[in-house]
Amino acid sequence: MEGHTGFAWEDRFLLGHAAMDETHREFVDLVDALLTVSDAELTPALAALAVHTEAHFAQEDAWMVAEDFPPRDCHIDEHAKVLASLREVAAELAAGDVAIVRELALALKDWFPAHADYMDSALSTWMIKRQHAGKPLIFRRDGGKARQ
């Protein structure tokens, strides 16, 4: 996509919950694909992101319910809004609007870091504290300060 860079995984996205971190890495890769693939490849790239995101959010939503995560309603609502946007953009792409897919990809690139930093990090910390009576340990290669 001209004029835009992709979306690369950074160790600053690590939250110390292995399953969540792996899923987030895949999410970043799929958003990167929407930013970098040709127009002809957008339909399968968007479909792959939609399938991943449905499963990704369903897993996090299930964790929040199972672990009795206090701010789960707000977090689950945010997931639902992203999924609704994905469905709307898929319909627009089917009608021939390629630009809206790129706009969604840029919006997700902007949205994800804050969502991970605030909502998902709180969930990760909550689950690890409840399951292991401790805090997440995060090892970063980039020298960034780990959250404790």
Side-chain angles (χ1 to χ4, degrees):
M1 181 172 150
E2 283 184 41
H4 294 285
T5 58
F7 187 29
W9 175 261
E10 299 176 33
D11 280 355
R12 72 182 182 100
F13 300 143
L14 290 170
L15 301 176
H17 186 281
M20 192 180 295
D21 289 338
E22 183 176 324
T23 299
H24 286 171
R25 186 181 298 264
E26 184 178 340
F27 179 82
V28 167
D29 289 345
L30 290 165
V31 172
D32 177 62
L34 286 184
L35 291 166
T36 58
V37 299
S38 69
D39 288 355
E41 298 169 302
L42 275 177
T43 298
L46 183 60
L49 177 65
V51 167
H52 163 87
T53 304
E54 289 276 352
H56 170 172
F57 290 174
Q59 178 64 75
E60 287 184 11
D61 293 354
W63 285 333
M64 287 186 274
V65 171
E67 295 292 335
D68 199 26
F69 184 57
R72 69 183 163 268
D73 292 339
C74 176
H75 197 153
I76 290 169
D77 286 348
E78 188 165 303
H79 286 167
K81 289 175 184 172
V82 171
L83 292 172
S85 293
L86 278 167
R87 286 188 287 276
E88 290 170 17
V89 168
E92 293 294 323
L93 178 59
D97 188 351
V98 171
I100 198 165
V101 179
R102 306 297 188 177
E103 291 170 19
L104 173 68
L106 288 171
L108 291 172
K109 179 181 176 180
D110 290 341
W111 167 82
F112 175 75
H115 179 81
D117 281 348
Y118 298 105
M119 293 192 163
D120 288 341
S121 69
L123 175 58
S124 172
T125 299
W126 177 264
M127 290 192 305
I128 290 169
K129 184 175 183 179
R130 287 178 59 102
Q131 294 167 0
H132 305 290
K135 295 180 181 178
L137 288 176
I138 303 167
F139 299 95
R140 293 191 172 96
R141 291 179 292 251
D142 63 5
K145 185 175 191 260
R147 286 182 292 265
Q148 291 292 321

